[in-house]
Amino acid sequence: MIGPPERAAGEQIALLRSVGYAAFGRHERNLDVLDLVFDSLVDAPESCRDEVRALRFAGHGITLDVDVRGRGDLTIELRVSPAGPVVVESRGSEGGPTNARLVSFLLRWPGTAQRPVRTAWVML
């Protein structure tokens, strides 16, 4: 059964996703968007151990796994599938009083016909 905290987190994710899609539609028409399909903070809170948060974005034949470690200074590890040469850029805002960061990753494959992709926005 979903309780109030999980429901609130799900509503926040849905709101961020809709805002992100609206922003992409206005500014980045040449990109595909990867959806957030797993967030250990919401989908498996019991698995969040040692301050490690796991995120998975997927779509358009691409998967991006993100591991986030730490609280203040974050360490972020990215894994892209299928593997190959890829350029990853991040966009976001530094956190305010709560120190939360709103982030999206852009993936490009230089020298290929693969369309660039951007992840849905997520709060770290």
Side-chain angles (χ1 to χ4, degrees):
M1 182 167 184
I2 297 176
E6 292 86 1
R7 185 171 294 120
E11 290 171 1
Q12 181 183 20
I13 289 168
L15 175 62
L16 287 172
R17 182 178 293 131
S18 68
V19 169
Y21 277 127
F24 294 142
R26 287 192 305 270
H27 301 291
E28 300 178 307
R29 296 188 188 278
N30 60 337
L31 298 176
D32 290 324
V33 178
L34 301 180
D35 282 319
L36 178 63
V37 297
F38 178 81
D39 182 345
S40 62
L41 191 63
V42 175
D43 299 315
E46 68 282 354
S47 72
C48 288
R49 62 192 186 294
D50 301 325
E51 298 183 15
V52 177
R53 181 177 174 194
L55 303 155
R56 174 170 278 181
F57 299 90
H60 311 282
I62 299 161
T63 302
L64 174 65
D65 289 308
V66 180
D67 289 340
V68 181
R69 290 178 175 81
R71 292 195 180 235
D73 292 332
L74 299 179
T75 300
I76 299 174
E77 181 182 319
L78 306 171
R79 291 175 307 284
V80 180
S81 178
V86 63
V87 175
V88 180
E89 300 172 16
S90 65
R91 284 196 190 159
S93 64
E94 284 298 318
T98 63
N99 205 26
R101 297 169 177 91
L102 187 61
V103 175
S104 175
F105 298 99
L106 172 70
L107 287 72
R108 292 183 291 111
W109 291 264
T112 70
Q114 173 71 44
R115 279 175 58 103
V117 297
R118 179 171 294 287
T119 65
W121 290 86
V122 65
M123 191 77 69
L124 299 182

PDB file of all heavy atoms in Angstrom, residues 84-89 106-110:
ATOM      1  N   GLY A  84      29.778   2.726 -25.551  1.00  0.00           N
ATOM      2  CA  GLY A  84      30.476   3.313 -26.686  1.00  0.00           C
ATOM      3  C   GLY A  84      30.886   4.726 -26.352  1.00  0.00           C
ATOM      4  O   GLY A  84      30.564   5.235 -25.277  1.00  0.00           O
ATOM      5  N   PRO A  85      31.581   5.383 -27.272  1.00  0.00           N
ATOM      6  CA  PRO A  85      32.000   6.768 -27.021  1.00  0.00           C
ATOM      7  C   PRO A  85      30.786   7.688 -26.915  1.00  0.00           C
ATOM      8  O   PRO A  85      29.960   7.728 -27.821  1.00  0.00           O
ATOM      9  CB  PRO A  85      32.843   7.126 -28.239  1.00  0.00           C
ATOM     10  CG  PRO A  85      33.104   5.848 -28.965  1.00  0.00           C
ATOM     11  CD  PRO A  85      32.058   4.874 -28.550  1.00  0.00           C
ATOM     12  N   VAL A  86      30.671   8.359 -25.804  1.00  0.00           N
ATOM     13  CA  VAL A  86      29.549   9.270 -25.578  1.00  0.00           C
ATOM     14  C   VAL A  86      30.048  10.478 -24.792  1.00  0.00           C
ATOM     15  O   VAL A  86      30.944  10.366 -23.970  1.00  0.00           O
ATOM     16  CB  VAL A  86      28.397   8.555 -24.833  1.00  0.00           C
ATOM     17  CG1 VAL A  86      28.828   8.105 -23.461  1.00  0.00           C
ATOM     18  CG2 VAL A  86      27.159   9.428 -24.752  1.00  0.00           C
ATOM     19  N   VAL A  87      29.485  11.629 -25.092  1.00  0.00           N
ATOM     20  CA  VAL A  87      29.769  12.851 -24.346  1.00  0.00           C
ATOM     21  C   VAL A  87      28.560  13.128 -23.466  1.00  0.00           C
ATOM     22  O   VAL A  87      27.425  13.142 -23.948  1.00  0.00           O
ATOM     23  CB  VAL A  87      30.014  14.044 -25.300  1.00  0.00           C
ATOM     24  CG1 VAL A  87      30.184  15.335 -24.521  1.00  0.00           C
ATOM     25  CG2 VAL A  87      31.213  13.778 -26.187  1.00  0.00           C
ATOM     26  N   VAL A  88      28.802  13.317 -22.174  1.00  0.00           N
ATOM     27  CA  VAL A  88      27.718  13.582 -21.233  1.00  0.00           C
ATOM     28  C   VAL A  88      27.916  14.971 -20.643  1.00  0.00           C
ATOM     29  O   VAL A  88      29.004  15.307 -20.181  1.00  0.00           O
ATOM     30  CB  VAL A  88      27.687  12.533 -20.100  1.00  0.00           C
ATOM     31  CG1 VAL A  88      26.557  12.833 -19.126  1.00  0.00           C
ATOM     32  CG2 VAL A  88      27.564  11.130 -20.663  1.00  0.00           C
ATOM     33  N   GLU A  89      26.861  15.759 -20.673  1.00  0.00           N
ATOM     34  CA  GLU A  89      26.862  17.085 -20.055  1.00  0.00           C
ATOM     35  C   GLU A  89      25.730  17.114 -19.043  1.00  0.00           C
ATOM     36  O   GLU A  89      24.732  16.417 -19.205  1.00  0.00           O
ATOM     37  CB  GLU A  89      26.621  18.173 -21.103  1.00  0.00           C
ATOM     38  CG  GLU A  89      27.656  18.224 -22.194  1.00  0.00           C
ATOM     39  CD  GLU A  89      27.259  19.190 -23.311  1.00  0.00           C
ATOM     40  OE1 GLU A  89      26.363  20.027 -23.098  1.00  0.00           O
ATOM     41  OE2 GLU A  89      27.849  19.085 -24.392  1.00  0.00           O
ATOM     42  N   LEU A 106      22.592  15.439 -20.589  1.00  0.00           N
ATOM     43  CA  LEU A 106      22.530  15.408 -22.045  1.00  0.00           C
ATOM     44  C   LEU A 106      23.582  14.430 -22.538  1.00  0.00           C
ATOM     45  O   LEU A 106      24.739  14.493 -22.117  1.00  0.00           O
ATOM     46  CB  LEU A 106      22.812  16.801 -22.621  1.00  0.00           C
ATOM     47  CG  LEU A 106      22.967  16.882 -24.133  1.00  0.00           C
ATOM     48  CD1 LEU A 106      21.635  16.647 -24.817  1.00  0.00           C
ATOM     49  CD2 LEU A 106      23.532  18.234 -24.534  1.00  0.00           C
ATOM     50  N   LEU A 107      23.185  13.509 -23.414  1.00  0.00           N
ATOM     51  CA  LEU A 107      24.112  12.530 -23.981  1.00  0.00           C
ATOM     52  C   LEU A 107      24.185  12.744 -25.482  1.00  0.00           C
ATOM     53  O   LEU A 107      23.152  12.844 -26.148  1.00  0.00           O
ATOM     54  CB  LEU A 107      23.634  11.093 -23.707  1.00  0.00           C
ATOM     55  CG  LEU A 107      23.775  10.572 -22.278  1.00  0.00           C
ATOM     56  CD1 LEU A 107      22.774  11.212 -21.348  1.00  0.00           C
ATOM     57  CD2 LEU A 107      23.606   9.081 -22.270  1.00  0.00           C
ATOM     58  N   ARG A 108      25.413  12.837 -25.994  1.00  0.00           N
ATOM     59  CA  ARG A 108      25.656  12.992 -27.436  1.00  0.00           C
ATOM     60  C   ARG A 108      26.691  11.970 -27.871  1.00  0.00           C
ATOM     61  O   ARG A 108      27.606  11.644 -27.124  1.00  0.00           O
ATOM     62  CB  ARG A 108      26.180  14.391 -27.760  1.00  0.00           C
ATOM     63  CG  ARG A 108      25.186  15.489 -27.553  1.00  0.00           C
ATOM     64  CD  ARG A 108      25.714  16.868 -27.942  1.00  0.00           C
ATOM     65  NE  ARG A 108      26.757  17.313 -27.018  1.00  0.00           N
ATOM     66  CZ  ARG A 108      28.040  17.444 -27.322  1.00  0.00           C
ATOM     67  NH1 ARG A 108      28.491  17.196 -28.525  1.00  0.00           N
ATOM     68  NH2 ARG A 108      28.915  17.839 -26.429  1.00  0.00           N
ATOM     69  N   TRP A 109      26.540  11.485 -29.104  1.00  0.00           N
ATOM     70  CA  TRP A 109      27.463  10.521 -29.689  1.00  0.00           C
ATOM     71  C   TRP A 109      28.128  11.192 -30.881  1.00  0.00           C
ATOM     72  O   TRP A 109      27.592  11.146 -32.002  1.00  0.00           O
ATOM     73  CB  TRP A 109      26.706   9.263 -30.129  1.00  0.00           C
ATOM     74  CG  TRP A 109      26.196   8.486 -28.969  1.00  0.00           C
ATOM     75  CD1 TRP A 109      26.817   7.422 -28.392  1.00  0.00           C
ATOM     76  CD2 TRP A 109      24.990   8.689 -28.230  1.00  0.00           C
ATOM     77  NE1 TRP A 109      26.065   6.951 -27.338  1.00  0.00           N
ATOM     78  CE2 TRP A 109      24.939   7.721 -27.213  1.00  0.00           C
ATOM     79  CE3 TRP A 109      23.944   9.623 -28.311  1.00  0.00           C
ATOM     80  CZ2 TRP A 109      23.901   7.635 -26.298  1.00  0.00           C
ATOM     81  CZ3 TRP A 109      22.905   9.542 -27.399  1.00  0.00           C
ATOM     82  CH2 TRP A 109      22.888   8.558 -26.413  1.00  0.00           C
ATOM     83  N   PRO A 110      29.284  11.841 -30.678  1.00  0.00           N
ATOM     84  CA  PRO A 110      29.956  12.557 -31.774  1.00  0.00           C
ATOM     85  C   PRO A 110      30.308  11.630 -32.930  1.00  0.00           C
ATOM     86  O   PRO A 110      30.710  10.487 -32.735  1.00  0.00           O
ATOM     87  CB  PRO A 110      31.232  13.105 -31.124  1.00  0.00           C
ATOM     88  CG  PRO A 110      30.971  13.080 -29.661  1.00  0.00           C
ATOM     89  CD  PRO A 110      30.017  11.941 -29.431  1.00  0.00           C
TER      90      PRO A 110
END
